[in-house]
Amino acid sequence: MADATASAGYDRLAELKAFDDTKAGVKGLVDAGVTAVPRIFHHPPDPHHHAPSITHPDDAAADSSSIPVIDLRVASRAELVAQAPAEARRPYYTRDAARRVKYSSNYDLFQAPAASWRDTLFLEMAPDGPSPEEIPPACRDIVFEYTRQVQSLCGVLLGLLSEALGLHRGYLEHDAGCRDGLSVKAASETAGFFQVVNHGIPEAAMSAMLAALRRFNEAPAEARRPYYTRDTARRVKYSSNYDLFQAPAASWRDTLFLEMAPDGPSPEEIPPTCRDIVFEYTSQVQSLCSVLLGLLSEALGLHRGYLEHDAGCRDGLGVAAHYYPPCPEPHLTLGAAKHSDPTFLTVLLQDGVGGLQALLGGGRWVDVPPGALVVNVGDFLEIMSNGRLKSVEHRVVASATARVSVACFFKPYGPAASTRVYGPIVEGDDAETPRYRSFTAVEFLRSRLDGRPPLDRFRL
Ligand SMILES: O=C(O)CCC(=O)C(=O)O
Ligand SMILES: [Fe+2]
């Protein structure tokens, strides 16, 4: 891009301004019939290579470069065990320490000064796990299935989850991991970028959200123009490239950005084409976020409500609804340049077109296929987990077909963001060494402006 800016007779800033002043976005260029990608959108060639798509599920299991898919119904079914009638639980009630499956209230009931408000099903899973018949039927299969599902999340995460489940640290990684040939290395490099299915968000809400945003973007430019703004104080902002005047190259993308929480816009501020569905979809995603933060908290050895309540990871929600118009020369530009998200967690809905790629270990771009919600850990959670969860870099390639996606960014917000200090959660006697220094969110977001990967700046 440096050469483009410097060459004679080319005023890049003037071209950016002219484009921005149309308030019609990249879609406006396409509607005007452009057949060549304007120079402001040219991206330099990428040094990483693109690993081909994985289409066959068997290949995906065997290929270390696939993005893990987590079935959340499995995780939540484990909670059903506690809801069975007392008669079903009673046969398992025991204080016999030799049993590998023990259900009781307060293992130290006769020793502790006060009993606690808690019942526990304890499973000694290793080195010699129980036979399936020893496990209550309500959770018999789930114990094994659950371990199989979560093992694909990542080796590092699994080690931590094992501990959270009362198993030894390597159980899921080694014992269960052997079963489907998942390599620990592959898992640890994807820690933080995965897809979820059976997450509870109705198919109808997801498709209605995508359809509404397509309608907004494909309406005549006059209908979109009133929303076009770079005023950061507005809670509903439509623009092409939020960093149009800062980034070295513009991307082939328009975005409707909605600040939804803690103080969302009034319905009238939202374009009529997507007014109702935006509220419905975001409340669904907030519920999903609670489930994910609960699982991740436990995986990190924290109490279940830690990330959501103590750390406030669910409080701030920004929704970026992207529209990637059909591109006449996709090889010259990108839908979104390589980046990691400045969030705690991002939940991404994409339509069936594809184009999202994650940068995995060894510098390979790997396709993130459509069909499941994408969840990625952002920079804040990488740092708070002291690097155990990864904020994976990703990008979107341009395509000849129009694409819609909706990124829900759970992020620090407002007053809390300016005063709250974020850093690695490393407490207790056997605390590990912090690998990042602490910072406020404002400091973090400011650091992104210099173009350097923000995580590098905070690494110790
Ligand atoms: O559109 C996509 O698939 C990804 C968008 C994205 O990475 C972002 O908004 O941060
Ligand atoms: Fe992103």
Side-chain angles (χ1 to χ4, degrees):
M1 284 308 89
D3 66 313
T5 324
S7 50
Y10 175 59
D11 186 346
R12 185 164 193 277
L13 182 60
E15 220 170 282
L16 289 172
K17 266 200 82 18
F19 166 66
D20 201 42
D21 288 346
T22 67
K23 296 183 185 288
V26 177
K27 180 65 165 67
L29 296 176
V30 172
D31 289 345
V34 292
T35 53
V37 167
R39 204 156 156 181
I40 53 170
F41 293 95
H42 288 197
H43 281 251
D46 187 276
H48 308 294
H49 77 274
H50 173 215
S53 301
I54 298 141
T55 45
H56 193 278
D58 292 346
D59 296 346
D63 192 306
S64 63
S65 62
S66 60
I67 303 293
V69 178
I70 311 297
D71 187 339
L72 286 182
R73 188 170 51 199
V74 172
S76 57
R77 257 169 38 206
E79 288 172 6
L80 294 178
V81 174
Q83 294 163 13
E87 301 76 61
R89 300 195 303 275
R90 202 163 284 135
Y92 300 94
Y93 201 98
T94 179
R95 297 196 181 276
D96 178 352
R99 293 261 293 270
R100 281 176 298 192
V101 177
K102 302 180 273 287
Y103 171 61
S104 74
S105 184
N106 291 259
Y107 74 94
D108 55 355
L109 187 67
F110 296 98
Q111 293 83 36
S116 295
W117 199 257
R118 181 187 70 221
D119 304 327
T120 303
L121 176 66
F122 197 88
L123 303 137
E124 295 288 356
M125 296 301 290
D128 305 305
S131 65
E133 298 71 41
E134 289 175 80
I135 300 179
C139 55
R140 189 164 291 164
D141 299 335
I142 217 72
V143 166
F144 298 105
E145 197 183 338
Y146 181 65
T147 55
R148 195 182 59 74
Q149 288 285 349
V150 287
Q151 79 185 21
S152 58
L153 184 51
C154 72
V156 177
L157 188 51
L158 289 180
L160 299 164
L161 259 177
S162 303
E163 288 178 349
L165 291 171
L167 307 166
H168 77 79
R169 193 179 175 97
Y171 180 82
L172 299 170
E173 217 173 280
H174 304 301
D175 304 23
C178 297
R179 271 186 290 162
D180 69 1
L182 183 87
S183 90
V184 171
K185 181 180 162 296
S188 62
E189 71 190 25
T190 56
F193 206 105
F194 48 94
Q195 292 186 283
V196 290
V197 293
N198 294 315
H199 38 65
I201 302 185
E203 189 59 47
M206 297 191 294
S207 49
M209 183 73 175
L210 291 169
L213 290 156
R214 182 177 284 272
R215 270 200 307 281
F216 170 75
N217 282 283
E218 295 182 351
E222 301 75 63
R224 300 194 305 276
R225 208 164 275 139
Y227 300 96
Y228 200 98
T229 180
R230 297 196 180 275
D231 177 354
T232 52
R234 292 260 294 267
R235 280 178 298 196
V236 177
K237 302 179 272 284
Y238 168 62
S239 75
S240 184
N241 290 258
Y242 73 95
D243 56 355
L244 186 69
F245 294 97
Q246 292 85 36
S251 292
W252 200 256
R253 179 189 72 223
D254 303 326
T255 302
L256 178 66
F257 198 88
L258 306 134
E259 296 287 357
M260 295 302 292
D263 304 305
S266 65
E268 300 71 45
E269 290 174 81
I270 300 180
T273 36
C274 38
R275 194 163 286 168
D276 296 338
I277 190 64
V278 160
F279 290 106
E280 186 190 333
Y281 179 74
T282 45
S283 88
Q284 297 273 3
V285 173
Q286 283 172 313
S287 305
L288 171 61
C289 181
S290 296
V291 173
L292 294 167
L293 290 174
L295 290 171
L296 290 170
S297 298
E298 288 183 346
L300 292 170
L302 305 165
H303 71 84
R304 200 179 173 91
Y306 185 90
L307 292 174
E308 179 176 348
H309 301 297
D310 302 24
C313 295
R314 209 199 81 149
D315 295 349
L317 170 59
V319 177
H322 301 301
Y323 183 76
Y324 302 86
C327 182
E329 296 176 303
H331 59 287
L332 291 181
T333 188
L334 285 170
K338 178 175 86 169
H339 68 282
S340 59
D341 292 349
T343 61
F344 298 114
L345 209 63
T346 303
V347 177
L348 181 100
L349 167 67
Q350 55 171 333
D351 68 10
V353 174
L356 174 62
Q357 299 179 334
L359 187 59
L360 298 191
R364 290 161 298 131
W365 284 115
V366 174
D367 290 328
V368 184
L373 277 180
V374 178
V375 175
N376 61 287
V377 162
D379 296 344
F380 282 91
L381 216 44
E382 168 163 339
I383 292 173
M384 289 161 73
S385 71
N386 205 23
R388 287 179 288 182
L389 301 170
K390 298 272 180 279
S391 176
V392 175
E393 287 184 304
H394 50 284
R395 69 173 184 181
V396 179
V397 293
S399 140
T401 311
R403 171 175 186 265
V404 180
S405 74
V406 180
C408 287
F409 298 126
F410 290 93
K411 54 176 192 165
Y413 74 93
S418 51
T419 52
R420 194 172 218 154
V421 174
Y422 298 92
I425 307 158
V426 284
E427 288 160 4
D429 296 341
D430 53 353
E432 34 178 301
T433 315
R435 291 195 231 148
Y436 304 85
R437 72 173 178 83
S438 299
F439 53 86
T440 63
V442 166
E443 191 187 349
F444 184 87
L445 296 174
R446 205 175 290 135
S447 78
R448 285 173 66 85
L449 299 176
D450 71 1
R452 215 168 104 195
L455 287 171
D456 288 356
R457 176 179 284 278
F458 295 99
R459 218 167 255 130
L460 289 172

